[in-house]
Amino acid sequence: MMLRRSVVYILVGTVILSSLFILNFKLNILNNPVEAGLISISFFGVIAIFMFSLSPNLLSSTRKIGSIDKVIFYISIVIYTLISIGLIHNYGTDDQEYIMEAVSYFLKGENPYSGFYSPTNVEPTYTIYGTVVHTFVYPPLAFLIYLPMALLLLLTKLPLYYTNVVNILFQDALVFLIFRAGLKREDPIATLPVIFLFIIADVEIPGFSGVSASVWGTFLAISYLYDGKKSGIALALADSFNQISWLITPFLLLYKYKTSGETFLTNVKWFLGSLATIFLPFILWSPESFLHIFTTDMNTIPVGFTGMTLLNFTGVLEVEPWYFTIMMIAIGLFSLYLYYKAFKSLRETLWIYPMLIMWFSWRTLTEYFMIWPMLMFLSVFRLYDFSTMQTNLPKIRIPKKEIGTIFLLLFTVAGSLGALAHSQYVAQDPLKIVSVNLDNKNNPIYSLNITVENVGKSSTNITLVRVSVPDHLNMVWNYTPDHSIRPGSNLTIEAYTDQHNLEINGSCITVQVYSSYYMSEYKLNLTSINMSASNIS
């Protein structure tokens, strides 16, 4: 046990140390000396972790988990919290700025779902029609939970972007819940979840404090860990905060139905009651405006770091948007059926299914996926009793033939519909980029001349121009003129940006021109003397 404890501690310390180096590498240390200093000083916390891993008796001669593992955990939490708060300089994400605009409307007595939104401090969410999302698309708790912090900041005249502290504290709370669940197993493995704090920070830098997934993740953890009233209320809070938690709701309710016994009805009663208490006032305030929460990603530009949407907007496999919706529904229903039929064997796999469903989503941002592996620790701690080296694993009993038949049917339908969606997209895509030329070959690049041909059968308009470099996939540029293109004719437009953070300093750029959700792509290699290019349409 002590060998495993030391190995785990060294692993935790190494991950934290590596994360500190990555944070300083991504942070402009000359422009942020205080934050860089804070990260550097955190080095001594890592040294303390290494010291305890190599000499546990410094804390307790009996080497109990209560006196060693807790210290390692709290050192890690303090390092993460201080660094995270120190790195808050803005909202970090457009979501957080939309939320603060909703808070502002609510404090003025106006309906947040009827307001006009226009983020100015971070890049907004664009639609495929070239406009910005001007509505609030999240459930009510998404802004209500920040009200106390926002009022405190207004009273103290501090910037509202410090409401990001709420996200950081919820991240701490989530990791603490997981740690406490593991602590009961009396094994140093309980300290491992803290490494996710630093992994997430590295992945999401510089805006990780503006990612609010930790809030609904914490509520889901509480709902999973408890039964009855607490579980129902927590699940309702998660569903009232973000739509992503809706994906896990049927699986978690099925889990509670199978494991909670008589308390399940109490769970459902408090779940529905709490949900109605939060939703109904805003539904009655403006039913039509409230419907925005059910159309959250409709018409937004595809953005992703994994999933089918990555194949779509990179030109590898372009399909009609309806295919994403059908596949999410189909995979969701099949996953729920599989979970129900093989519950005894797959009881603790409930966290995996939202990841499978989201893989087929139109937008697949990192926060859609990073929270689920953390929650899996809760299931691991229930499966294994480390103190007695016993497992609570059920026997494998899966109706293989029945599930295999349905899976084969799903695979066949998905493949057939995919071929249809792709052929329709290719047949109806009206755009083809003929050429892309630079106004000048000096860095930074802030203007391009793009010649586009209409290969369709009817007139079409350009709705969006997206210019990207390998590490920045969401650079929307302005363009002129905005004329209709007749079939078989060309139009040369000037795409440009007046924002320094969207200028190009790189060796390769990708230009995408949209007409609604149809897109043509063109790649430029700027390192070549002749500016060689490849066209994907």
Side-chain angles (χ1 to χ4, degrees), residues 98-99 101-107 109-117 133-145 239-243 246 275 278-296:
Y98 277 104
I99 287 171
E101 288 191 56
V103 168
S104 178
Y105 278 118
F106 188 74
L107 290 177
E110 301 177 23
N111 186 350
Y113 294 99
S114 301
F116 183 84
Y117 291 75
V133 175
H134 293 300
T135 55
F136 188 68
V137 297
Y138 298 108
L141 194 64
F143 71 88
L144 290 175
I145 203 167
D239 287 352
S240 300
F241 186 87
N242 193 283
Q243 293 91 334
W246 297 357
L275 207 61
I278 299 172
F279 275 47
L280 272 178
F282 295 95
I283 295 175
L284 296 175
W285 199 346
S286 177
E288 183 178 354
S289 299
F290 190 75
L291 289 177
H292 290 312
I293 74 168
F294 299 104
T295 58
T296 175

Side-chain angles (χ1 to χ4, degrees), residues 341-408:
K341 293 294 291 186
F343 180 81
K344 290 184 178 180
S345 301
L346 303 178
R347 184 186 66 209
E348 299 298 336
T349 63
L350 70 165
W351 313 111
I352 296 175
Y353 305 111
M355 299 176 70
L356 289 174
I357 297 170
M358 289 304 301
W359 194 89
F360 293 90
S361 173
W362 182 251
R363 292 166 65 87
T364 55
L365 300 176
T366 52
E367 61 265 30
Y368 296 0
F369 298 92
M370 293 300 292
I371 207 72
W372 304 112
M374 296 183 65
L375 293 169
M376 291 176 194
F377 273 99
L378 297 173
S379 292
V380 169
F381 293 143
R382 281 196 174 180
L383 283 174
Y384 298 93
D385 187 346
F386 296 103
S387 60
T388 61
M389 300 304 294
Q390 294 180 351
T391 66
N392 300 316
L393 293 175
K395 294 182 179 180
I396 302 296
R397 292 180 180 177
I398 300 178
K400 296 179 181 179
K401 290 185 178 180
E402 181 180 347
I403 292 175
T405 302
I406 295 177
F407 177 78
L408 182 61

